[in-house]
Amino acid sequence: MIPLFTASSATKVDQALFDVESLCFAVTETAAVTNLAAASQFLSELKARGIRIALDDVGAGVASFGYLKSLAVDYLKIDGQLVVGLSTKPIDMVSVKSFCKVVGVLGLQTVAEYAEDEAALRLLDSLNVDMVQGYHLRMPEPLARVLSEAKTRRRCLATLRFQERLKGSSAG
């Protein structure tokens, strides 16, 4: 099944009508370690095409860090259940600290799920988590709305850059 999925995915990526380097493909830790060799091959092929890879739900299972050396990933997404328990469960705090240290050594970035309030953000910041997701930052929205906002922001940035160039050329 994995080789067929790999071939199908590779074909779709190769035929994409947009910059695939803007994609980030997430695979769960459990799925990756269940068939490590196939997952490693698949993720390496996607990464070779410029797609970033996130290992999702890390900490939900009982895998070791050893597999991380075999997977071409860019981000390690810390399972939300660990984030929710940071302030009340010492084992969750130690787990997240460990993930952050290992990720730092590997040159990856961390993403913490379930950042639900300001206290969680402060704790995650103190642990040097790179990025967060959660309702405290933004509620889920229809993709069309998010894309429309992104398009508007890009237009605004392009306008600002153009205005800056005009100022720079008239000053010289």
Side-chain angles (χ1 to χ4, degrees):
M1 181 81 162
I2 293 287
L4 178 60
F5 180 71
T6 299
S8 172
S9 298
T11 300
K12 290 193 184 331
V13 166
D14 292 341
Q15 295 172 348
L17 299 175
F18 58 89
D19 179 11
V20 297
E21 291 184 6
S22 64
L23 294 176
C24 182
F25 188 88
V27 61
T28 64
E29 178 184 36
T30 303
V33 298
T34 299
N35 190 344
L36 190 57
S40 180
Q41 178 188 352
F42 174 65
L43 297 177
S44 292
E45 288 182 26
L46 289 177
K47 196 153 174 72
R49 288 171 166 80
I51 296 173
R52 290 167 292 138
I53 309 296
L55 192 61
D56 204 358
D57 296 336
V58 173
V62 221
S64 75
F65 291 132
Y67 68 87
L68 287 173
K69 295 183 279 185
S70 305
L71 297 173
V73 299
D74 301 289
Y75 307 101
L76 192 97
K77 291 182 69 180
I78 300 167
D79 186 70
Q81 295 308 310
L82 294 174
V83 174
V84 168
L86 272 179
S87 61
T88 58
K89 299 177 184 166
I91 189 68
D92 291 350
M93 177 64 83
V94 169
S95 297
V96 173
K97 279 183 182 179
S98 297
F99 293 141
C100 291
K101 286 182 180 181
V102 169
V103 163
V105 168
L106 294 172
L108 308 175
Q109 290 189 304
T110 49
V111 180
E113 301 174 332
Y114 287 53
E116 303 300 316
D117 55 33
E118 193 63 35
L121 289 179
R122 281 194 300 277
L123 259 175
L124 293 166
D125 183 51
S126 74
L127 296 171
N128 297 316
V129 170
D130 298 298
M131 292 177 261
V132 295
Q133 297 175 317
Y135 291 161
H136 185 64
L137 302 170
R138 191 167 185 152
M139 297 296 286
E141 298 179 55
L143 181 58
R145 183 182 311 148
V146 173
L147 292 175
S148 174
E149 286 178 16
K151 192 174 186 180
T152 301
R153 266 183 271 173
R154 278 195 302 272
R155 271 193 238 122
C156 290
L157 286 173
T159 301
L160 288 172
R161 287 186 192 118
F162 179 71
Q163 290 171 345
E164 289 299 315
R165 275 198 315 242
L166 287 176
K167 285 179 188 175
S169 65
S170 65

